[in-house]
Amino acid sequence: MKITFHRYDLRLKHTFTTARGGRDISPVVVLELEHDDIIGYGESAPIARYGESVDTVADFLSRLDLTRFEDPFQLEAILSFVDGSIEGNAAAKAGLDLALHDWIGKKLGVPLFKYWGLDKGATPKTSFTIGIDTPRVIEEKVGEAERYPILKVKLGGDRDEEIIRCVRKVTKKTLRVDANEGWKSKEVAVEKIKWLEQEGVEFVEQPMPAGDLDGTAWVRERVNLPLIADENSLRLQDVPKLQGAFDGINIKLMKCTGLREALKMVSTARACGMKVMTGCMIESSVGISAAAQFSPLVDYADLDGNVLITNDPFDGVRSLDGTISLNDRPGIGVTKLV
Ligand code: MG
């Protein structure tokens, strides 16, 4: 198995701002895993909140030694070995997991969703994300999202009311709200969520800091909207701990080390009676198409990372009108463009 990788700077259509700050370029690492004349593609979109950058991903990948393994079909052994050998580095591990899965699908000649026995017609609608911005830009973005039936609005600051007012001025669509841990006290969170209940909001993602699970449970007892964990649901072992504090989890490949663990998280969340969402970082069509493969298993999707960029290096699963359309290409379903 030969692994090569390179940095690729995804250019954003708009400066992307959340409760944590803003940016115009989002660098990722694209991986190619070659074996038996087949190339599997993977992508790592590092998350700064967890100390990751393209440099930490590159460092991780250049230290990988998979010589003891014969081929990508040893998925379980390879991923356990890699996960056990170095802590953290979830996005780097996800890049490898995606490349292995893509390779296997290509070798077998089947798209992953088919390999897993999933229904192509059962994909959820994806939301389109509106970042924190000036009223003029927010209105512009809502206009650009015309074909998307659901909008995900980033809140969590002191302009929440203004932002929702601005969105509601131009659309009646279903809204989902992501506070990105921005509401620092449980009283504020309850007050905000009660107000959002009147604004046509479907659920609220990560209202409180991840470290305040008790506070989140206190909030949940006092509101009607479902609460979905994101920063609190990084990996498989987090899921059972969230019962009572959250109604569901957001699974992101870049947080959970990839598709193999994502599927385990879906099953665990279901066993705990929780809803499942899948989301993304700013990613190219590699990461988004990979997440789309298991999307028939989830209740909610927020897979818009590749439509927020202007220089996608791959063609893959599309969601132009908000419907995730799986294609019949093998593996994760992507073709390299550049
Ligand atoms: Mg989120």
Side-chain angles (χ1 to χ4, degrees), residues 152 154 178 180 205 230 252:
K152 177 165 134 172
K154 294 282 192 182
D178 188 355
N180 283 113
E205 207 178 305
D230 183 359
K252 289 181 180 165

Side-chain angles (χ1 to χ4, degrees), residues 20 152 154 177-180 205-206 228-231 250 252 255 277 280 302:
R20 267 188 285 279
K152 177 165 134 172
K154 294 282 192 182
V177 161
D178 188 355
N180 283 113
E205 207 178 305
Q206 198 68 42
I228 307 292
D230 183 359
E231 286 83 347
N250 185 354
K252 289 181 180 165
K255 295 185 309 182
M277 168 179 180
C280 59
D302 179 36

Side-chain angles (χ1 to χ4, degrees), residues 77-131:
I78 297 170
L79 295 176
S80 300
F81 165 75
V82 169
D83 197 24
S85 59
I86 310 176
E87 276 205 338
N89 291 282
K93 291 170 182 172
L96 175 67
D97 167 285
L98 264 53
L100 289 165
H101 277 90
D102 191 38
W103 188 94
I104 288 170
K106 283 174 173 161
K107 181 72 175 173
L108 300 175
V110 287
L112 287 167
F113 76 86
K114 221 175 235 187
Y115 175 70
W116 292 326
L118 303 179
D119 179 2
K120 192 180 181 175
T123 55
K125 296 243 183 244
T126 176
S127 52
F128 181 92
T129 304
I130 309 290

Side-chain angles (χ1 to χ4, degrees), residues 40-84:
Y41 293 111
E43 174 177 18
S44 297
I47 308 179
R49 187 189 186 288
Y50 305 115
E52 296 173 317
S53 64
V54 285
D55 294 331
T56 65
V57 172
D59 182 53
F60 178 92
L61 294 174
S62 52
R63 282 196 282 156
L64 263 189
D65 178 9
L66 301 181
T67 46
R68 72 186 68 195
F69 300 104
E70 274 166 27
D71 67 48
F73 284 111
Q74 290 175 283
L75 200 52
E76 182 69 30
I78 297 170
L79 295 176
S80 300
F81 165 75
V82 169
D83 197 24

Side-chain angles (χ1 to χ4, degrees), residues 304-323:
D304 63 351
N306 59 343
V307 294
L308 302 174
I309 58 174
T310 58
N311 60 339
D312 197 336
F314 286 82
D315 176 60
V317 173
R318 296 178 184 192
S319 59
L320 291 179
D321 60 352
T323 301

